[in-house]
Amino acid sequence: MSHDGAAAAGKCEWSSHVAVSLGDQETGALAWVLIDTIMQARFGPATQLYDAWRQHTLAGTKIPAPTSVTVGSFVEPVFGLPGAEKSETHLQGHVGEWLWHLLTKDNPVVRVQPDPKGDVTDAGGDAFTIYEPIAGTLRFRLWESKKNTGKGPLSTSLNKAYKQLADHGQRYVAKIVGTFAQSSNGTSDAIVTFIAEVPGAWVQGDELVGAGVTLATHQTLPATPFTNMASKLPLLNKPGQLRGLATSIDGYDELARTVRRYAWTAL
């Protein structure tokens, strides 16, 4: 994924990642990368709990009580618990957000990109990135994430994302800015000064801000999946303001269930 601002005005620059016919071992390996990263983030500074979860998961053994109850409290908000699973729709969406995050966070121009939200039902924007395409020039991108694991057209899912950004983007930005200090510790004074300018920039479609949509699916991707994005977000009509990332994985729903199975292994 590139944040180089190369897209033309009124156009969406996008990239895709496609995995076709993953075998069981490949699905398992990708699921493990995802869940290990997700759980490390969920446990935060409670590294002893993460270590216990990881060691028992790799060994295929159960965590003894009462530690199992403590560990389960970190697992439950997204995945539910064995015998009391959460919505598969939310599970698939959460896995899609983490796929996006892992595919984009190490871009050398990214300065701030927090981990995906820990509560899948939290109202607000799905993610944001602060990046520096040119030295000394900071930019903000608000991301909306969608998944499509059914037979419906991908355009329906994408149009929902565009509408959410158009209708609620200002509110999402306000929430991000209002909680920025808690979600982005250790940032520079320049970034703190910059983020304070973002709400005013968003309402005007200023070049300081932009929007991104990420889509995770099992379907075959069309040749140009983000064609309608510019017309749905007319204020963001300057070069580099619109981005898209599409990920197509054969058996995406099974990948999400494998991620959840790994989360539960030690419980």
Side-chain angles (χ1 to χ4, degrees), residues 12-248:
C12 174
E13 186 176 9
W14 64 280
S15 61
S16 63
H17 300 266
V18 179
V20 181
S21 301
L22 291 180
D24 291 344
Q25 287 187 329
E26 293 169 312
T27 298
L30 177 55
W32 175 253
V33 170
L34 284 161
I35 193 58
D36 191 41
T37 309
I38 291 169
M39 294 307 293
Q40 191 168 16
R42 294 191 71 78
F43 284 116
T47 55
Q48 75 283 5
L49 293 174
Y50 164 72
D51 290 342
W53 170 83
R54 192 176 195 276
Q55 289 166 8
H56 281 276
T57 299
L58 289 172
T61 56
K62 300 299 183 183
I63 302 169
T67 305
S68 60
V69 177
T70 307
V71 169
S73 68
F74 288 84
V75 173
E76 191 274 339
V78 168
F79 302 103
L81 295 171
E85 63 270 15
K86 292 280 190 176
S87 159
E88 287 214 359
T89 296
H90 290 157
L91 168 67
Q92 293 163 358
H94 192 65
V95 169
E97 290 179 18
W98 273 96
L99 280 169
W100 162 81
H101 186 56
L102 291 177
L103 288 167
T104 58
K105 71 183 182 70
D106 292 328
N107 189 301
V109 303
V110 171
R111 298 292 171 261
V112 178
Q113 184 168 292
D115 293 334
K117 296 177 295 186
D119 187 341
V120 293
T121 59
D122 180 29
D126 289 328
F128 73 91
T129 304
I130 295 174
Y131 60 103
E132 191 173 4
I134 302 170
T137 304
L138 293 172
R139 295 288 184 264
F140 171 93
R141 191 174 311 283
L142 177 66
W143 284 89
E144 186 65 31
S145 177
K146 292 297 177 187
K147 60 88 188 172
N148 186 321
T149 56
K151 296 181 180 179
L154 299 181
S155 59
T156 300
S157 300
L158 292 171
N159 284 331
K160 287 180 180 178
Y162 307 149
K163 182 172 176 54
Q164 281 184 255
L165 288 166
D167 293 350
H168 305 295
Q170 190 74 49
R171 177 169 59 84
Y172 294 167
V173 165
K175 186 172 183 179
I176 289 167
V177 173
T179 58
F180 186 77
Q182 296 98 309
S183 63
S184 307
N185 293 328
T187 52
S188 68
D189 290 343
I191 288 178
V192 173
T193 299
F194 168 76
I195 196 67
E197 300 174 6
V198 168
W202 184 270
V203 76
Q204 300 179 74
D206 189 273
E207 63 180 3
L208 295 182
V209 301
V213 170
T214 176
L215 175 70
T217 185
H218 64 99
Q219 294 189 34
T220 301
L221 299 177
T224 53
F226 299 96
T227 303
N228 294 333
M229 191 171 182
S231 64
K232 300 295 185 180
L233 297 166
L235 274 181
L236 303 177
N237 59 4
K238 301 166 189 67
Q241 284 192 300
L242 301 178
R243 297 280 173 156
L245 174 64
T247 304
S248 176

